[in-house]
Amino acid sequence: MLLGAAGIGAGLALGGTGRAAAMPSGPPPVLITEQASKRLLVLDPAKDVWDPAVDPSVVRWAFSPVGDARYRDVAPDISWVYPSEAKVRRHGRHTFVLTTASFGFAAVVEWPTGRRYWAGALGPGDDLINPHTAEILPDGNVAVACSTGARVRLYAAALGPHATRYAEAELKGAHGLHWDADREVLWAMGDDELVAYGVEGTRVRPALVRRFGVPLPVATPGKSAGGHDLFPVAGTPGRMWVTTSASVFQYDIAGGGFTQDFAGAAEIVRKSVKCVGDDPRTGRVTTTVPEKGLGETWWTTTVSLHRPPGSHTYVDGGIYKARWWLPR
């Protein structure tokens, strides 16, 4: 069953049985933050061109909190502007989409129901916070990186969908987060460094403790690296994708170094890459890079594919990030 684009306010469209089907087998679908229409979309990987106005079947799932009573208290009319993250995670027996938006929205959304696991409004309408990504921890708590706010927050989301208690640590330009289950640390990336935080305290009163930090590679000595995307390398456990303003790297956790020795580096490595990720079954990599002439300078209509080269185009879109649909 394909999940269509209707009923977006509820985050899901259902087929005639009233039940949602699992994602079909084959190449993984693509999950995007579509800022022009303020939606998260899961799109058909078999189509080179995505044009829902002409072919609604390209949309397998859609989410927006606007008009959804389950998210009314976090004021999505104000806070859900420029959705900046969408990544899929498994927690317990459930699949969740983690999402943030630049004007303060942060949430963990159950797929496919759109049910609220947790959501918060981190200063709606106030760009001094700017949530840029999120991560869910094994105990059910949720970390949020606030780029303009220069902080990483760890919310006691295990207390419930409306929990507001949090711990925080300062990190200039906080952009990326990844929970490292093997080492039991929360990796966070800012403008200039990659940091590992230990999680201490209790489930209901957590604390973040800095354990380790390493400077990001810089293209020009004395200037900020501009750390942006941090994501696990699915095909090589123990490595993380790292993008900066000028380049793309993998960080070897055990070796403690940044490298560009990965397959396809000649085409993947370039400046202004907003997100990067690989499919472990095929080795294919997705990236997004801004293109000129759109509504915002950071938007694109193109999801680039590598190994082998290719692309998807979203008609009249404003894509920020695109990730393979790979629950982990």
Side-chain angles (χ1 to χ4, degrees):
M1 183 195 311
L2 295 181
L3 302 180
I8 286 169
L12 173 69
L14 297 173
T17 64
R19 295 176 297 169
M23 290 291 177
S25 60
V30 181
L31 171 63
I32 69 169
T33 57
E34 210 295 284
Q35 294 190 349
S37 61
K38 298 183 182 179
R39 298 183 296 171
L40 307 184
L41 299 173
V42 177
L43 298 165
D44 186 348
K47 301 293 180 66
D48 294 334
V49 177
W50 297 316
D51 188 351
V54 174
D55 181 8
S57 71
V58 300
V59 177
R60 294 184 171 178
W61 184 78
F63 173 79
S64 169
V66 176
D68 189 331
R70 295 171 293 187
Y71 298 90
R72 184 181 297 127
D73 63 298
V74 291
D77 287 335
I78 300 171
S79 62
W80 181 253
V81 177
Y82 302 135
S84 54
E85 180 63 282
K87 57 187 180 185
V88 58
R89 292 287 185 266
R90 288 285 297 173
H91 179 71
R93 296 183 178 182
H94 301 276
T95 298
F96 294 104
V97 175
L98 281 59
T99 186
T100 57
S102 296
F103 277 34
F105 188 93
V108 177
V109 177
E110 186 182 61
W111 176 87
T113 63
R115 182 183 68 86
R116 171 179 175 164
Y117 170 81
W118 173 83
L122 287 65
D126 184 354
D127 64 1
L128 295 179
I129 299 296
N130 194 7
H132 209 82
T133 192
E135 184 65 286
I136 189 167
L137 276 58
D139 63 3
N141 288 338
V142 177
V144 181
C146 306
S147 59
T148 311
R151 67 198 74 177
V152 175
R153 285 183 173 178
L154 179 58
Y155 283 85
L159 291 172
H162 301 271
T164 58
R165 182 183 297 164
Y166 63 84
E168 68 177 23
E170 184 175 349
L171 180 62
K172 178 186 173 185
H175 263 70
L177 291 173
H178 170 58
W179 173 254
D180 185 338
D182 292 335
R183 295 159 187 83
E184 296 187 333
V185 296
L186 177 68
W187 291 97
M189 187 167 64
D191 281 345
D192 303 304
E193 60 180 340
L194 178 63
V195 178
Y197 292 103
V199 178
E200 299 185 3
T202 67
R203 187 168 180 245
V204 299
R205 294 189 180 276
L208 288 171
V209 179
R210 182 181 171 118
R211 297 274 178 83
F212 171 78
V214 59
L216 297 175
V218 294
T220 305
K223 291 195 175 182
S224 173
H228 200 275
D229 196 33
L230 179 68
F231 210 71
V233 180
T236 310
R239 285 195 177 196
M240 296 183 291
W241 290 104
V242 169
T243 75
T244 66
S245 297
S247 198
V248 179
F249 304 88
Q250 288 184 359
Y251 181 72
D252 184 337
I253 299 174
F258 295 91
T259 181
Q260 293 176 327
D261 65 354
F262 48 88
E267 58 182 278
I268 295 168
V269 173
R270 57 211 197 281
K271 67 179 183 179
S272 302
V273 173
K274 298 302 183 184
C275 65
V276 58
D278 61 301
D279 175 8
R281 294 172 295 179
T282 64
R284 206 157 202 209
V285 174
T286 59
T287 60
T288 59
V289 174
E291 62 184 89
K292 295 180 180 179
L294 300 180
E296 300 291 353
T297 59
W298 55 86
W299 285 3
T300 184
T301 60
T302 303
V303 176
S304 298
L305 302 174
H306 313 274
R307 307 187 60 223
S311 66
H312 297 289
T313 300
Y314 188 89
V315 176
D316 296 327
I319 299 171
Y320 185 56
K321 288 180 179 175
R323 304 201 186 278
W324 293 121
W325 182 271
L326 294 170
R328 53 177 296 126

